[in-house]
């Protein structure tokens, strides 16, 4: 019987890069919620984010984020256990936007990242306007893929997933 291939273990250096990426993403989203995308504070933050992405993309073709049990996971590493408020901000934004997972491809452009960040920076408007996944498609953002969950309220405080169940 053939053994299943195991995903390579992330090194401490990889984890530090993922943590830096998540913090920069959360920080950039926060700055964009306060300033416009062309503001020098935001532009500098986007440049730093792009630099960390390029460093990560030198070793991989994509980076995967997930939200599992309310915790931000990057490449199967629970970053919520390793960081503070900025990661909590990212968790809240992912929850509000119903992001189950997202993948950023190495071919992502700066314009695509900016469009993504602007949509993330105002989650209420993004949800009202059709949701993150749909708005990214409308903006022709093809190097960031978002999987969203849909929940239906059964009674006050109880929700069930309305997401399609995978075939077995």
């Amino acid at each position: 019987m053939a053994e299943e291939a195991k995903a390579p273990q992330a090194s401490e250096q990889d984890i530090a890069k993922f943590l830096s990426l998540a913090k920069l993403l959360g920080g950039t989203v926060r700055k964009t919620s306060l300033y416009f995308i062309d503001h020098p504070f935001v532009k500098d933050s986007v440049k730093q984010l792009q630099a960390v992405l390029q460093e990560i993309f030198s070793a991989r073709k994509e980076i995967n984020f997930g939200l599992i049990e309310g915790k931000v996971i990057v490449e199967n590493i629970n970053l919520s256990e390793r960081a503070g408020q900025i990661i909590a901000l990212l968790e809240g934004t992912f929850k509000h936007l119903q992001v189950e997972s997202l993948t950023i491809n190495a071919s992502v452009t700066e314009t695509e990242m900016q469009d993504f960040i602007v949509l993330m920076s105002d989650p209420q408007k993004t949800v009202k306007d059709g949701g993150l996944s749909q708005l990214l498609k409308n903006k022709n953002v093809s190097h960031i893929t978002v999987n969203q969950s849909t929940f239906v309220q059964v009674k006050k405080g109880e929700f069930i997933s309305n997401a399609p169940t995978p075939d077995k």
Side-chain angles (χ1 to χ4, degrees), residues 8 38 43 48 62 83 134:
D38 288 328
K43 279 184 152 186
Q48 290 176 36
E62 60 187 26
Q134 185 60 50

Side-chain angles (χ1 to χ4, degrees), residues 117-132:
I117 289 165
V118 168
L119 293 172
M120 294 267 297
S121 71
D122 192 350
Q124 291 171 331
K125 182 177 182 332
T126 297
V127 168
K128 185 179 134 246
D129 290 349
L132 184 59

Side-chain angles (χ1 to χ4, degrees), residues 3 16-17 22-23 25 31-32 36 38 65 68 71-72 85 89 99 101 110 131 133 135-136 147 152 156 158-159 166:
E3 270 188 49
K17 288 177 191 175
K23 285 179 177 180
L25 179 59
K31 287 175 186 174
T32 306
F36 53 94
D38 288 328
F65 285 79
I68 300 175
K71 305 297 180 199
V72 173
Q85 275 186 292
L89 170 75
V99 171
S101 65
E110 188 171 331
S133 186
L135 293 176
L136 287 172
N147 293 312
V152 178
K156 189 172 182 172
E158 288 186 29
F159 297 86

